[in-house]
Structures are given as structure tokens and as C-alpha cells.
């Protein structure tokens, strides 16, 4: 996908699989420092779930001369967060992996764990996190957005794990 305001994966979640993995490759925003966020979609019309998100993300950076740590978190907001997009160009994209537990279930709250990393020319970044949604609504899709500019990705894939 190239220069889109959102990336949606709809109609893939079912009770056939209990766990889903989502992989993003060569992902970046059109603006440096853009924040990649997500919302779950619900129902047959894939309506965005806009409340009840809680998240904690933790990460660090390393350059040739220094290192630093960062974190971000939020309580009862309108989206989940998977971090930053990297350097804002195809030269410095990020990659991420997400795990969603039982999205088609409606008897317990939805959890998502993720990890990702990217190269920003003279620094490397890594981030892990946990997102929780306080609703018991079954999830029928997921929507990725950014706080500024547009999204780009060479591949965003979803896989169901059966056990």
C-alpha cells in the first residue's frame, strides 16, 4: 500500500483460529515521527471500536555514541498504539509483529501484544508493548492509522493459528 490514510484487514477473524499474528514489513509514514495506531473493527460493516483502549509501550534507541529509553502509555483512549514509524521514508522503514488473542470471542476482553524495530539512519530503535481493550465485542477486523500524514507498507499480512 502506498500513501493511504488507513490500512484495514477485515473479515479474517473467526472462531476457527484462537490466535492471530499480524506482520508489517517496510512500514513508514509520510511524516517523520508519525505514530502508528490501530482500532478494532466490529460487526459486518466493520465499524471502528472507538473506546476502551489501554496500552503500555517500552523501548530504546542506540546510536554509535549514546543510548536512551522511552515509553508511552494511555488509559481508556480511542485507539491502541504500536509505536512510531521510523524515519518517515522508505529509506528508514519499520517492521512489526502483533499477536491478538481470540478476537472472534465475545466473552472476555481483547488483548494484543506487539514488538517492532526500525533503523533511522544513525540510530536503531526497538519497542515492545501490550494493548488491552475493555470491551467484550467480537472483533471482525483491524484498522491501522497514523496521527499525521499517510501510511506506506510493502506488506501487512495476517495469519491464524489453530490449536
Amino acid at each position: 500500500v502506498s500513501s493511504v490514510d488507513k490500512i484495514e484487514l477485515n473479515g479474517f477473524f473467526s472462531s476457527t483460529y484462537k490466535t492471530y499474528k499480524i506482520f508489517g514489513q517496510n512500514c513508514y509514514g509520510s511524516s517523520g515521527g508519525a505514530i502508528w495506531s490501530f482500532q478494532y473493527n466490529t460487526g459486518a460493516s466493520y465499524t471502528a471500536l472507538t473506546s476502551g483502549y489501554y496500552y503500555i509501550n517500552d523501548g530504546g534507541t542506540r546510536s554509535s555514541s549514546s543510548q536512551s529509553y522511552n515509553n508511552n502509555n494511555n488509559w481508556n483512549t480511542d485507539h491502541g498504539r504500536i509505536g512510531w514509524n521510523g524515519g518517515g521514508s522508505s529509506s528508514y522503514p519499520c517492521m512489526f509483529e502483533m499477536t491478538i488473542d481470540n478476537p472472534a470471542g465475545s466473552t472476555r476482553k481483547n488483548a494484543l501484544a506487539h514488538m517492532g524495530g526500525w533503523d533511522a539512519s544513525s540510530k536503531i530503535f526497538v519497542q515492545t508493548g501490550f494493548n488491552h481493550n475493555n470491551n467484550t465485542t467480537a472483533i471482525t477486523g483491524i484498522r491501522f492509522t497514523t496521527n499525521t500524514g499517510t501510511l506506506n507498507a510493502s506488506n501487512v499480512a495476517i495469519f491464524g493459528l489453530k490449536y
Side-chain angles (χ1 to χ4, degrees), residues 29-157:
S30 61
S31 300
I35 298 167
W36 276 56
S37 300
F38 72 90
Q39 291 176 315
Y40 294 131
N41 291 335
T42 62
S45 61
Y46 307 117
T47 303
L49 187 59
T50 59
S51 65
Y53 294 91
Y54 303 80
Y55 60 82
I56 297 174
N57 298 310
D58 193 25
T61 66
R62 178 68 195 174
S63 69
S64 63
S65 60
S66 66
Q67 65 185 23
S68 65
Y69 297 96
N70 61 63
N71 65 57
N72 56 74
N73 55 76
N74 214 326
W75 189 263
N76 198 21
T77 188
D78 65 350
H79 66 277
R81 182 171 169 173
I82 58 170
W84 294 271
N85 76 327
S89 74
S90 59
S91 299
Y92 310 112
C94 77
M95 56 146 311
F96 66 85
E97 177 181 332
M98 304 171 86
T99 303
I100 304 175
D101 182 47
N102 197 25
S106 59
T107 58
R108 66 187 190 105
K109 297 171 176 143
N110 297 299
L112 179 148
H114 70 88
M115 64 180 181
W118 59 97
D119 170 10
S121 181
S122 61
K123 290 184 182 180
I124 57 172
F125 295 80
V126 66
Q127 186 172 55
T128 60
F130 183 79
N131 288 264
H132 166 80
N133 187 279
N134 207 30
N135 294 287
T136 56
T137 305
I139 299 167
T140 56
I142 190 167
R143 171 183 308 181
F144 297 98
T145 60
T146 185
N147 65 325
T148 182
T150 58
L151 300 172
N152 300 274
S154 65
N155 189 27
V156 179

